[in-house]
Amino acid sequence: MTKTYQLFIDGKWLNSKSAETFYRINPANPKEILGKFQQGTKDDIDKAVDAAEDAFGKWSSIPPPKRGEILFKIVELLRVNKERLARLMTKEMGKILLETRGDVQEAIDTFEYFAGEGRRLFGHTTTSELRDKFAMTIRRPVGVFGIITPWNFPIAIPAWKLAPALICGNTVVWKPSSDTPLCAIELMKILTKAGISDGVVNLVTGPGNTAGMHLVKHKKVRGISFTGNRDTGKQIVKEAGIKKVGLELGSKNAMIIMDDANLKLALDGVIWGAFGTTGQRCTATSRVIIHETIRKRFEKTLVERVKKLRLGSGLNPRTDVGPLVNKAAREKSARYTKIGMEEGGKLICGGKIPKLNGFFFQPTVFTDVAIDMKIAKEEIFGPVVSLIPVKNLNEAIKAANSVEYGLSSSIYTNDIRTAFEAIEKIEAGITYVNAPTIGAEVHLPFGGVKSSGQTREAGWAGVEEFSEEKTVYIDYSNKLQRAQIDTK
Ligand code: NDP
């Protein structure tokens, strides 16, 4: 019998007012139904926002180190439940266990980092241009925050948003991806077990374009933190009104391999960067910009390695690459493979839907790709990588910057000048040297430029995203002192 899961509003598990539900299946075995979930409505969002608004006064007045103690409890509970959550995540969205364990670990690290932030939440103190006057900034919570998350990091990305939101004193309404409602429910259970009080975090599953958009537009919501597709992000910016909006959007990440690079290292980097999470990471390596003198040699070893990658259920320890998240994602990889061939890209590996139960697609490599081809410009979000040959560093950087996105990037070289030139000139929020485009650490800011979004989250940037900086002047001169006028 399929289990039915509920919404979590004001400390209670409830059915949606819609009385409608949707199913989630295992993408490695689509006949396996994981559960029935509530189709949350605008009314459910209203109720959740009201609960978050009511809870705000009490939660925001708790001293941040005390809020931190609850976050430390979340860390403990995540640790105890790590293996169980990782297995459940592999079943729900497909990536292999090694990676789902990493996803839960990222949430553990994030809650731990922000729990400690309860004893910092630094503002600035500075000088005043006037005598007997003190100037500083303090951090204040924003209010009710709407958090909208995708499926590819179904526990880590919510943690990136929930942990800083909570430590800064905000209350939250969370709308998770309809592809990973079960991970969201399990994380919500952990939050409640750790002692998050009623109304502080409210979870509403349901359709993004109705429930999600209602949250975005809601007048009582003061901030939105969104991770997802570029086009959804565009809509959110248009509809949010005057709110604090954080956006982490799409990408087309490039790895540059120079002729002096350690090719074995670069090869390991491409395999992990392009095919980890079946190419469904926002930081996935989807373009390899390679010096033409080493291209042939590299292509040969790359194809040999890619052909050896084993597809299958992520629960099997022998599997290297799991399924795509759903049928539409698999169709997208197949569609772009066809487009790539029509555009004149040379398919040297993969490109087919294998005869396997589940939404699998063969790890696919194109070479002879030009920067104006669609497969070099548009986000595919699947296991498809394009090799773009170049003659020198200038051409490589030009190619890297030729797309509308700018999230992550990387360069393999042993020349320090080349590395620093790339760091300076590549238009991206992140540049790795001698490492693939994936592998962000939680205590550093994360985010992109151009159409990848203009904001940052995680690390100290997470505090900035989820708090307002208030400026405070204290004049103890006992007379009226006018800035810019009485400055002698
Ligand atoms: P979507 O934009 O389709 O969905 C993300 C979330 O937004 C889901 O919860 C979805 O709900 C919701 N949503 C959808 N439409 C609306 C709407 N009109 N208003 C409000 N909310 C809405 O992205 P995907 O889930 O497909 O995620 C993949 C994308 O996310 C890729 O483009 C990837 O690059 C990007 N991404 C970016 C990251 C970054 O940090 N830059 C990190 C990870 C992913 P529902 O599921 O119900 O539709």
Side-chain angles (χ1 to χ4, degrees), residues 260 413-423 433:
D260 67 333
T413 177
N414 279 315
D415 185 282
I416 191 106
R417 283 189 63 82
T418 304
F420 271 94
E421 196 171 335
I423 292 168
V433 177

Side-chain angles (χ1 to χ4, degrees), residues 54-73:
D54 288 348
F56 177 73
K58 195 166 162 209
W59 178 250
S60 60
S61 67
I62 296 173
K66 282 271 159 217
R67 293 200 291 262
E69 284 173 17
I70 299 180
L71 267 59
F72 276 123
K73 279 197 197 130

